[in-house]
Amino acid sequence: MFNTNDVLETVNMIEREHLDIRTVTMGVSLLSCISGTAQKTADKVYDTICKRAENIVKVTGDLSREYGIPIVNKRISITPASLICAPFAEKSYLIGKALDNAAKAVGVDFLGGYSALVHKGMTDYEKKFIRTIPEVLADTERLCSSVNIGSSKSGINMDAVKLMGEIIKETAQKTAASDGFGCAKLVVFCNAVEDNPFMAGAFHGVGEGETVINVGVSGPGVVQHALEAVKDADLTEVAETVKRTAFKITRAGQLIAKEAAKRLGAEFGIVDLSLAPTPARGDSVAAILEEMGLESVGTHGTTACLAMLNDAVKKGGVMASSRVGGLSGAFIPVSEDIGMIEAAERGTLCIDKLEAMTAVCSVGLDMIAVPGETSASTISAIIADEAAIGMINNKTTAVRIIPAPNKKEGDEVNFGGLLGRAPIMPVHAESAAKFISRGGLIPAPIHSNKN
């Protein structure tokens, strides 16, 4: 039973500390939609999504009002579209448009899953599919794309890494009028998971059920506020405080997830514990790290603070729900976190330091803007570095990078809303083109040889 203090504490978290349910994401299997032609498949895809997700916006709105918890985003994830498009990969664009139209029809914010899994090798149809990504992202509004290019079991597919550097550059050029916004809807993974509710990397894995509800909770402001009350505590108490706070946040997500699944006639999938920041002040992962004792995020000690935060969030969350999954930890997207933005503007936070931080956080190099003249091979090399961290450490890593057309170091891109703004960060001038051009497969590490 809740007592008066519990109720008041929750109200305070919502009103003053930015506690929210960041997303309710419905995963939908579309394998049954594959038909004889691309157009018939596109029609079935549209009809299936509209039927299964027709009430997601209404139900989440009802739950938000009933429980008094803001639900920020309503989203859909689908079976990796490269599988749906396999018989007619050159016409994948039709399925992409159908997906975007379905997202608009049911009123969700984003639809993820225009995706391919090529961590060990690429078929001809997957290469054709991947090459449609720039055009599809340029011509759609709510569709998101991802490509998995490596895993701890298979190694890193460097042919796919090289291709994705080129795809990101092309996507930026095709969306140059919006500062390369298409790249904000495209992420490259190592060790992608099948039940991630967050965009742009969400897709509905082939091991998932027919229709599943996955919920992503968030509360950087709540954690920061809790740490403000233990300013003189040692780090053991700091970790315990984060654990207790993560427990409370996750319970809210568990409640919403179970009820949403029930009302939408879907399976309850997972609760993702991730602390996902926004550009709003008071809702920043960087601010948590600074509350731990750093003068600025990015300085020495940042990786240690982030490691402790991520671990404590996971430990607290798993006590609150038996269905923890997705990515679960702390996100560090530069453009979506006011503390990260300001540290990057000061020069305290650089890409190299962010890369080190990704070894201990939820995902990887996220929403980073770089000069528009950055070469495809340099982007591929950044992807390869991040994938290596994921492969060796058996964790999910990713790159969502924006080579902003006609922008240089010191400029800024501004996407608005949750995607925020990002200073253009410098990259190393020295070339990695020869390394990237070698292609082939970086073999899986020795510790993958277990069964």
Side-chain angles (χ1 to χ4, degrees), residues 143-225:
L143 188 63
C144 293
S145 180
S146 62
V147 177
N148 191 60
I149 51 78
S151 76
S152 295
K153 276 288 190 181
S154 66
I156 302 171
N157 181 350
M158 291 300 292
D159 293 320
V161 169
K162 180 178 184 295
L163 177 58
M164 287 313 299
E166 298 165 359
I167 293 298
I168 289 169
K169 283 286 289 185
E170 186 180 347
T171 302
Q173 290 301 322
K174 286 186 177 294
T175 56
S178 56
D179 290 333
F181 176 69
C183 297
K185 301 187 294 174
L186 172 60
V187 59
V188 183
F189 277 116
C190 178
N191 289 322
V193 297
E194 296 188 332
D195 53 6
N196 166 25
F198 288 101
M199 298 295 166
F203 64 86
H204 186 69
V206 295
E208 297 285 318
E210 197 76 20
T211 309
V212 178
I213 293 295
N214 298 318
V215 166
V217 298
S218 185
V222 180
V223 174
Q224 181 189 353
H225 181 79

Side-chain angles (χ1 to χ4, degrees), residues 335-356:
S335 78
E336 300 173 20
D337 186 312
I338 186 61
M340 299 287 178
I341 293 168
E342 292 175 348
E345 289 174 335
R346 291 192 299 268
T348 312
L349 187 64
C350 64
I351 291 179
D352 289 348
K353 184 59 178 179
L354 281 164
E355 183 181 300

Side-chain angles (χ1 to χ4, degrees), residues 9 11-12 30 36 64 90-91 101 121-122 125 202-203 250 258 266 288 340 344 362 368 383 391 403-404 411 422 434:
E9 183 179 41
V11 169
N12 189 56
L30 296 181
S64 182
E90 67 281 354
K91 295 183 179 179
N101 290 335
M122 287 187 291
Y125 79 80
F203 64 86
T250 307
K258 290 182 70 173
I288 297 173
M340 299 287 178
S362 274
I368 294 171
I383 293 170
M391 177 184 71
D411 292 339
K434 184 175 180 179

Side-chain angles (χ1 to χ4, degrees), residues 26 82 90 159 166 225 240-241 297 307 348 356 379 422 431 439 449:
M26 174 180 280
S82 67
E90 67 281 354
D159 293 320
E166 298 165 359
H225 181 79
E240 288 299 313
T241 301
V297 66
T348 312
I379 293 171
S431 175
N449 191 24

Side-chain angles (χ1 to χ4, degrees), residues 2 87 122 146 154 160 164 174 194 215 228 231 242 277 298 306 319 323 365 369 394 399 414 433 438:
F2 289 107
M122 287 187 291
S146 62
S154 66
M164 287 313 299
K174 286 186 177 294
E194 296 188 332
V215 166
E228 288 172 354
K231 285 186 178 295
V242 174
L306 183 58
M319 292 295 292
R323 305 297 294 271
L365 295 171
N394 199 29
V399 172
N414 194 333
R438 287 179 180 271

